Amino acid sequence: MKKSSIVFVVILTLSIVLAACSKGSTSDGGESKKGDAIVIGSVIPTSGNNATDGKDMKNAMEMAISEINDDGGVLGKKLKLEVVDDACDPQTATSAANKLVSMKVKVVVGGYCSGSTLPASGVFHNAGIPLVVPAANSSELPDQGYDSLFLINGLVPDQSKTGADYFNEKGAKNIVIVHDNSAYARNMADFAKEHIEKNGGKVVGFEAINPEEKDFSSLMTKLKSLKPDGTYFTGYYAAAGLMKKQFDQKDVSGLFMVGDGSYSQDLIDIAGADAEGILVTATPQASFIEGAEEFVTKYEEKYSLSPGPFSALSYNGVKLVADAIKRADSTDSAKVKQAIKETKGFAGIGQTIEFNDKNTLNESNFKIMTVVNGKFDIAK
């Protein structure tokens, strides 16, 4: 073959290769090519004290994505979940959110700790990426006014009212409130105080702890002297479990209640026999939701453990996002955000999702749970 012919063949081959590559390139500033996965991001704690619930949320989201993909995906494409650990730490959460933005995710489902979800939500808002939150529920989240932020869990004011009303119904009038100074816990403590006083009760103690503490003996000595009818701890389960053990050891009077940040099997494991009788203000886990039997069975078969407190909500979040992408007929974040906002009567596990003008639910989904024989049950 002549040298000129060889050059011609090489050029022709390169042209064919480049043409093939250009056929699959994007033309809309990030819209994935046909056949590529639609990437959904998630920022949750997969390390640290809250990793158990974070991994449970991840399991539920992956299960939802698997079901959607098995059913043909969305817009002819598969969904893919990209999880970044925020460790329930504000600074880590900011870095995690920026990482997902750099990955060009279309939408995010996540947010466990309010303290870390607050800064992360700002990052996503600035990037124009919608965020669906299945767990974090501080009233400070919607108060930011972000049109990109959607909460599918009930809010702290409703949760604290549920707890305050239960105390009142049980004749518990003198209440001690303990928080850990995190955004969620302090927010709930403030609202709990407000609701208890509205019910005619009295907050005889309003205490703060370091969530890393292990020894609460001095606090329990103080609580015992106050002779409360009830104690409401609004922080997370690592401290709650230890606190309940020492609460019983000091023989402090009254009921012991915690918020949904402590609604975890880890609470029972840490408190041991002293977990008995703990009250929890929370959205019931899937095993207590009528109509969730199939979800529970599939989850247990897939992961060899029972779904946790935020599994159904996380599963609902992914299903909602997939439905919104389908209704938007696009993966453009702005269009998906609008579709989420316009959601009407979306039937999730244990809830029907619609959003009010603050992008929160119209109806509270909180119950009073309790520990009976080492397991959670519904008290009211």
Side-chain angles (χ1 to χ4, degrees):
M1 184 180 292
K2 293 182 180 179
K3 184 176 181 181
S4 59
S5 298
I6 294 172
V7 172
F8 173 78
V9 171
V10 171
I11 292 173
L12 180 61
T13 302
L14 287 172
S15 299
I16 293 171
V17 171
L18 289 172
C21 291
S22 63
K23 190 177 290 184
S25 63
T26 60
S27 58
D28 58 356
E31 185 80 26
S32 56
K33 66 183 181 181
K34 187 175 182 180
D36 280 358
I38 298 170
V39 181
I40 295 175
S42 185
V43 178
I44 50 177
T46 57
S47 67
N49 288 339
N50 303 289
T52 298
D53 283 346
K55 289 174 182 176
D56 173 68
M57 294 170 71
K58 178 175 180 286
N59 288 345
M61 287 188 276
E62 287 180 338
M63 194 167 91
I65 284 179
S66 178
E67 290 177 4
I68 293 165
N69 288 343
D70 288 346
D71 199 34
V74 181
L75 305 184
K77 300 174 183 179
K78 300 292 187 182
L79 298 183
K80 180 182 178 183
L81 184 68
E82 287 286 354
V83 176
V84 182
D85 179 24
D86 70 3
C88 272
D89 174 74
Q91 186 173 352
T92 304
T94 301
S95 298
N98 279 309
K99 182 176 180 179
L100 286 177
V101 171
S102 70
M103 295 171 68
K104 301 187 184 302
V105 300
K106 304 300 180 181
V107 61
V108 177
V109 179
Y112 175 77
C113 292
S114 295
S116 56
T117 305
L118 280 161
S121 64
V123 173
F124 295 127
H125 176 69
N126 291 336
I129 297 172
L131 168 63
V132 175
V133 180
N137 56 13
S138 168
S139 65
E140 294 179 23
L141 286 162
D143 285 350
Q144 296 173 115
Y146 295 156
D147 65 353
S148 56
L149 178 63
F150 301 88
L151 286 82
I152 61 172
N153 192 9
L155 290 178
V156 153
D158 294 322
Q159 180 179 177
S160 56
K161 184 178 186 302
T162 299
D165 288 349
Y166 187 84
F167 279 137
N168 189 48
E169 289 168 12
K170 295 299 180 182
K173 293 296 186 180
N174 296 317
I175 309 299
V176 170
I177 298 173
V178 184
H179 63 88
D180 65 7
N181 267 325
S182 65
Y184 151 80
R186 180 57 194 259
N187 188 238
M188 190 157 74
D190 288 339
F191 276 105
K193 183 176 187 296
E194 178 182 320
H195 290 305
I196 288 165
E197 292 174 345
K198 280 183 179 178
N199 286 343
K202 183 178 180 181
V203 176
V204 295
F206 195 88
E207 307 293 328
I209 64 156
N210 179 339
E212 303 301 323
E213 281 183 47
K214 306 296 182 187
D215 183 1
F216 299 104
S217 57
S218 60
L219 173 64
M220 293 306 144
T221 298
K222 182 175 183 178
L223 263 59
K224 186 171 183 176
S225 69
L226 295 171
K227 299 179 181 179
D229 300 319
T231 296
Y232 196 0
F233 175 59
T234 61
Y236 295 92
Y237 54 76
L242 293 173
M243 194 177 293
K244 180 55 165 61
K245 288 176 73 73
Q246 295 168 46
F247 182 93
D248 287 359
Q249 288 166 5
K250 286 284 186 179
D251 198 26
V252 180
S253 61
L255 303 170
F256 186 87
M257 182 182 290
V258 297
D260 63 351
S262 293
Y263 185 34
S264 170
Q265 179 60 42
D266 283 4
L267 171 69
I268 297 173
D269 294 342
I270 294 167
D274 295 306
E276 200 72 10
I278 290 178
L279 298 165
V280 189
T281 51
T283 300
Q285 63 197 71
S287 55
F288 296 107
I289 298 174
E290 185 177 350
E293 295 82 7
E294 184 179 356
F295 169 80
V296 172
T297 298
K298 287 182 177 179
Y299 189 101
E300 290 176 343
E301 289 176 350
K302 189 175 181 68
Y303 300 109
S304 299
L305 73 163
S306 297
F310 299 104
S311 58
L313 287 164
S314 300
Y315 178 92
N316 290 346
V318 170
K319 292 280 188 166
L320 170 65
V321 162
D323 179 70
I325 293 172
K326 184 177 180 180
R327 285 186 281 114
D329 194 27
S330 173
T331 59
D332 177 76
S333 292
K335 293 178 180 179
V336 174
K337 178 181 70 175
Q338 186 61 31
I340 296 173
K341 177 66 177 178
E342 294 171 353
T343 297
K344 298 295 180 184
F346 180 83
I349 296 173
Q351 61 178 167
T352 299
I353 298 174
E354 291 186 11
F355 297 103
N356 56 30
D357 58 357
K358 296 188 74 173
N359 289 353
T360 64
L361 300 177
N362 288 315
E363 295 184 14
S364 169
N365 49 359
F366 291 107
K367 302 289 183 184
I368 299 291
M369 309 298 295
T370 189
V371 179
V372 180
N373 295 325
K375 294 182 179 180
F376 288 112
D377 201 351
I378 292 182
K380 178 181 180 295

